[in-house]
């Protein structure tokens, strides 16, 4: 073979391997986003299962707080619907409402000493607080994964492959400004 042909074949091989590498990196990033979402989804399901137990325990003691309990139940339902549809924007809004409802519920529990002393309530409060913390950590990881993915599909030369193969941007999981911090259950008890 002639040296020109060998150089041409070498250049084509290098370009092919480079394109394959770019594609594989985009696929890896896309799957990182999916995995990060799955981690949040598991925690949301666990909290979804715990909330009715908490509401039932509170209902025994908080006869006059039905509006707060109803808000928590409705927000739980909205979170479940958004989670099932993988509606990230809807989930952020529903999560904000649920966190506000839980904050109100735990703050009202201060007025019910028998409820605060209930072992089941204490266990559920601790469990839900732990889940809230884990959700916040996973949300941060999810948003970081989405940000890395979105930046890569917009950068040259990755954007050429991303556009050709229909890699689309993903939405960040954002809570309203009033809810950027985690629910601090201990602080809520101290404030009343």
């Amino acid at each position: 073979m002639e040296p020109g042909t060998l150089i041409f074949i070498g250049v084509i091989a290098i370009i092919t391997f480079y394109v394959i590498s770019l594609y594989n990196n985009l696929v890896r990033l896309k799957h990182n986003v999916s995995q990060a979402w799955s981690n949040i989804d598991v925690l949301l399901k666990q909290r979804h299962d715990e909330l009715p137990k908490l509401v039932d325990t509170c209902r025994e003691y908080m006869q006059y707080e039905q509006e707060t309990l109803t808000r928590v139940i409705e927000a739980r339902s909205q979170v479940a619907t958004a989670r099932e549809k993988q509606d990230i924007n809807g989930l952020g809004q529903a999560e904000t409402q649920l966190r506000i409802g839980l904050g109100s519920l735990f703050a009202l529990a201060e007025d019910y000493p028998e409820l605060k002393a209930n072992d089941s309530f204490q266990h559920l409060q601790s469990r839900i607080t732990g889940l809230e913390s884990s959700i916040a950590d996973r949300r941060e990881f999810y948003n970081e994964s989405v940000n890395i993915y979105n930046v890569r599909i917009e950068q040259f030369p990755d954007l050429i492959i991303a556009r050709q193969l229909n890699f689309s941007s993903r939405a960040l999981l954002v809570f309203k400004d009033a809810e950027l911090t985690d629910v601090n259950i201990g602080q809520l008890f101290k404030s009343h």
Side-chain angles (χ1 to χ4, degrees), residues 137-165:
D137 290 342
R138 292 296 166 207
R139 178 173 42 103
E140 184 178 326
F141 178 69
Y142 171 81
N143 284 340
E144 181 181 332
S145 297
V146 167
N147 190 48
I148 291 168
Y149 170 77
N150 286 345
V151 167
R152 282 291 298 270
I153 66 171
E154 292 180 13
Q155 288 180 329
F156 183 83
D158 296 29
L159 74 93
I160 296 168
I161 294 171
R163 286 182 182 166
Q164 292 296 317
L165 299 174

Side-chain angles (χ1 to χ4, degrees), residues 111-122:
D111 296 334
Y112 296 88
E114 305 87 25
L115 174 61
K116 283 185 1 182
N118 181 294
D119 289 337
S120 179
F121 176 78
Q122 290 176 357

Side-chain angles (χ1 to χ4, degrees), residues 16 20 35 45 56 63 86 98 100 109-110 141-142 157-158 166 168 173-174 176 189:
T16 301
I20 290 170
Q35 179 184 5
K45 286 178 187 175
D56 287 344
Q63 299 86 0
Q86 294 190 5
L98 181 59
I100 290 169
E110 182 68 20
F141 178 69
Y142 171 81
D158 296 29
N166 295 322
S168 57
L173 179 54
V174 180
K176 290 183 182 174
F189 279 115

